[in-house]
Amino acid sequence: MNNYEKYRQVRKEAAATGLLLLILIVAWIAAGFGLAGSSVELFHLPLWVWTATIGIWLFAIIGVKVLTATVFVDMSLDDEDGKGEVRHDK
């Protein structure tokens, strides 16, 4: 994999991670505010507390597992061709 391909892969991974973050924020808002009017309680706590904390946490774990299985690639970040080497002469 050359440096340009690595750069494109890193950008793809960053974009997918940002998209997952955006989805998590929207889901958190929907779970917290969307269920605020619900009268369902679990262990004397409203349902929105459980969905906005534990539910989003589990959703984030599943999202990361999906990202690592489908988007992320295990690659070496070393400069293989030597062209991008930075020298620090003193």
Side-chain angles (χ1 to χ4, degrees), residues 29-40 46-49 51-52:
I29 290 170
F33 293 111
L35 295 173
S38 175
S39 61
V40 178
L47 182 62
W48 67 266
V49 171
T51 58

Side-chain angles (χ1 to χ4, degrees), residues 6-16:
K6 289 178 186 179
Y7 174 73
R8 287 185 59 203
Q9 179 61 33
V10 169
R11 284 186 50 102
K12 180 180 173 183
E13 292 173 3

Side-chain angles (χ1 to χ4, degrees), residues 6-66:
K6 289 178 186 179
Y7 174 73
R8 287 185 59 203
Q9 179 61 33
V10 169
R11 284 186 50 102
K12 180 180 173 183
E13 292 173 3
T17 304
L19 180 61
L20 177 62
L21 176 62
L22 183 63
I23 291 169
L24 287 171
I25 290 170
V26 169
W28 177 74
I29 290 170
F33 293 111
L35 295 173
S38 175
S39 61
V40 178
E41 289 188 0
L42 183 64
F43 299 112
H44 303 289
L45 289 172
L47 182 62
W48 67 266
V49 171
W50 293 101
T51 58
T53 54
I54 304 299
I56 296 301
W57 181 71
L58 292 173
F59 187 61
I61 290 173
I62 292 168
V64 168
K65 291 292 282 181
V66 168

